[in-house]
Amino acid sequence: MKVIGHRRCSLCSSSRLFSSSVQRISPLHYQSRSSRRQDAAIEIDEVPRKRKYISHESAVSLIKQEKDAKRALEIFNKVSDQKGFNHNNSTYAVLLHKLALCKKFETVDAVIHQMKYETCKFHEGIFINLMKHYSKSSLHEKVLEMFNAILPIVREKPSLNAISTCLNLLIEAKQIDLAREFLLNVQKHLDLKPNTCIFNILVKYHCRKGDVEAAFVVVEEMRKSRVSYPNLITYSTLMDGLCRCGRLKEAIDLFEKMLAKDQIPPDALTYNILINACCRAGKVGRAQKILEFMRKNGCQPNIVNYTALMNGFCKEGREEDAKEVFHEMKRVGLTLDIVGYTTLINSFCRAGRVDEGIELLEEMKDKGCKADDVTIKVILGGLCRASRSSEAFDMLERLPYDGVRLSKESYRIVLNFLCKEGKLEKAMELLGLMLARGFVPHFATSNELIVQQCEAGKAADAAMALFGLLEMGFKPEPQTWSLLIDVICRERKLLPAFQLLDELVLQ
């Protein structure tokens, strides 16, 4: 059945799918061996071949492979022309996913309307997927609409999975009023008996609000319920809520209660909540002890745990301790990721140990860990603070040829320092490089560069910089125009002054 409101299409370009082409067969295939002659051949009429029937599986595959949403819909409509073909849950699901992915939400509504008249059995997974798409697009009312469509189209009550997904999406999006309204409706009309997952979502909701006491009330209700009981996610969420409120001691007490009373073994994520909290509180030594306790109790620290501890040492200026954590990671066979490397590089650069930061950058390259723009900005800032702006300039010039994609902020860092140090020739050279690569300096920096050139008596350079910037859409401050024209007039170069005035009128 076709989707209402959409015209039929002809898959002319997809002749391989719905081909009415004929097959040419050699006459030799029909001649007996005794009657074959080289100078005679029987020409067989072309025989039309039947169109290939497209199964549900093939239709799903074709729609999935199609990048264009309109073409996917055309395929969906065309296969329904086949005699005896009726769409099923799979074909509808893949089409709706494709449409939602391309944000064709009006067409999604049309398809869902058509589903109401289908006789096939649908599953709620279609609507759970659509809820997620709508949530990503901040269409929170539509999230509820998709949930409410489950009962009339699937013809079954939404499962606890559908309920928890909808509730979690609303809470993650901070749609508290909608979440509250949703819960009340579900309790009233669906006779909701919350499971552990739903209780955990409510605990997270209260912790995110900073109302940890309300979260503990939910946990007490959870304990009284016969269908749920606090689990590791419950405890981890509560501990994170306490840590965010600066209640580290209570979080550690709760951790010990989880071990002793409920005998729930923590995982690496739970440990990381405490490690991060200790580091934020300036108690990195305690964070180190938690990591040791973790290891002794059979939970091997992962890269996130080590990076959190290393970051704690870096924040306290303890680069050697951070470096020791780095070496320990290597000893246990873990490879530092880009976040860990950047954390350590930043710490070294802030401490004036730029060369060690550059060594780590080279190590990243050797290990196949590609530096990103954040890492490069850290190095560039370190070089500039160490009065090594020329090296920073060389890096900017070289890195794009090494496959590193630089942002305009990387160039701006170095240009700002060059202007600050009064290295106007190098600043002009960098400006030329930036403009050639399509980057425009910050408005204030551009004005400052022109003003410095004027104050240094370099009117020609200032004019050159200004004209280059104007071509990129830059509009200088009126005082900058005035200063530059004044300098040029004092040098009795009237023609350039007139040219600048013409530009000013055009601006």
Side-chain angles (χ1 to χ4, degrees), residues 429-482:
E429 195 176 343
L430 180 55
L431 176 63
L433 181 66
M434 288 182 70
L435 296 177
R437 291 177 176 177
F439 295 107
V440 182
H442 189 272
F443 177 78
T445 306
S446 299
N447 277 294
E448 179 64 23
L449 177 58
I450 296 169
V451 168
Q452 284 193 27
Q453 295 281 11
C454 291
E455 290 176 347
K458 298 183 177 182
D461 288 343
M464 187 186 303
L466 180 57
F467 281 119
L469 288 164
L470 288 172
E471 289 179 4
M472 301 295 288
F474 169 73
K475 294 182 178 181
E477 291 180 342
Q479 295 89 337
T480 307
W481 280 108
S482 176

Side-chain angles (χ1 to χ4, degrees), residues 17-259:
L17 306 180
F18 308 104
S19 175
S20 59
S21 63
V22 293
Q23 183 180 18
R24 294 184 179 275
I25 303 173
S26 168
L28 294 177
H29 291 170
Y30 291 90
Q31 277 186 288
S32 64
R33 291 183 181 181
S34 59
S35 61
R36 286 182 187 171
R37 294 178 59 184
Q38 292 182 356
D39 57 345
I42 302 172
E43 186 173 351
I44 304 298
D45 292 334
E46 293 177 346
V47 180
R49 185 173 63 183
K50 288 184 178 180
R51 292 181 179 181
K52 183 180 178 182
Y53 184 82
I54 304 299
S55 65
H56 289 98
E57 291 77 12
S58 297
V60 168
S61 178
L62 291 168
I63 294 170
K64 192 180 292 185
Q65 291 171 15
E66 182 57 58
K67 293 181 180 180
D68 182 67
K70 183 181 177 182
R71 288 279 301 140
L73 182 61
E74 289 175 351
I75 294 171
F76 179 88
N77 282 334
K78 191 65 179 178
V79 294
S80 65
D81 281 344
Q82 300 176 116
K83 188 176 180 180
F85 185 95
N86 289 303
H87 284 293
N88 62 8
N89 181 81
S90 298
T91 52
Y92 269 104
V94 71
L95 175 66
L96 285 168
H97 178 71
K98 181 70 66 177
L99 293 171
L101 205 60
C102 298
K103 300 187 186 303
K104 304 296 182 182
F105 295 126
E106 288 185 8
T107 312
V108 168
D109 288 339
V111 175
I112 290 173
H113 178 76
Q114 180 62 43
M115 290 167 69
K116 295 176 182 178
Y117 302 97
E118 290 281 15
T119 57
C120 69
K121 175 67 177 172
F122 291 111
H123 305 301
E124 69 176 18
I126 289 178
F127 299 95
I128 291 174
N129 184 48
L130 288 174
M131 280 189 263
K132 294 174 182 177
H133 280 293
Y134 279 120
S135 182
K136 285 180 183 176
S137 297
S138 299
L139 298 170
H140 308 296
E141 294 283 355
K142 296 292 287 185
V143 173
L144 284 176
E145 191 178 312
M146 290 302 100
F147 176 85
N148 293 329
I150 293 175
L151 183 57
I153 296 179
V154 178
R155 302 179 183 93
E156 288 181 2
K157 285 185 177 182
S159 68
L160 285 172
N161 178 38
I163 294 169
S164 60
T165 300
C166 186
L167 179 61
N168 191 51
L169 288 171
L170 293 173
I171 287 176
E172 286 286 344
K174 298 180 181 178
Q175 298 296 308
I176 307 306
D177 291 337
L178 284 179
R180 188 182 297 111
E181 177 190 335
F182 169 73
L183 267 180
L184 290 173
N185 287 334
V186 167
Q187 288 174 327
K188 181 178 179 181
H189 300 294
L190 298 178
D191 189 27
L192 172 66
K193 293 180 180 178
N195 62 358
T196 302
C197 182
I198 292 175
F199 273 121
N200 282 340
I201 293 170
L202 295 174
V203 170
K204 178 172 69 175
Y205 158 62
H206 290 299
C207 287
R208 291 277 176 89
K209 281 178 60 183
D211 191 355
V212 185
E213 274 64 36
F216 275 104
V217 171
V218 173
V219 174
E220 287 306 312
E221 289 293 324
M222 197 175 186
R223 291 184 187 278
K224 295 174 185 176
S225 172
R226 294 182 179 180
V227 294
S228 62
Y229 198 80
N231 60 10
L232 180 60
I233 295 174
T234 317
Y235 275 106
S236 297
T237 306
L238 284 170
M239 281 186 275
D240 187 54
L242 288 168
C243 290
R244 288 177 184 274
C245 294
R247 296 159 66 175
L248 178 58
K249 185 180 183 303
E250 292 174 70
I252 293 174
D253 291 342
L254 185 63
F255 176 80
E256 291 173 354
K257 181 181 178 182
M258 179 185 75
L259 291 173

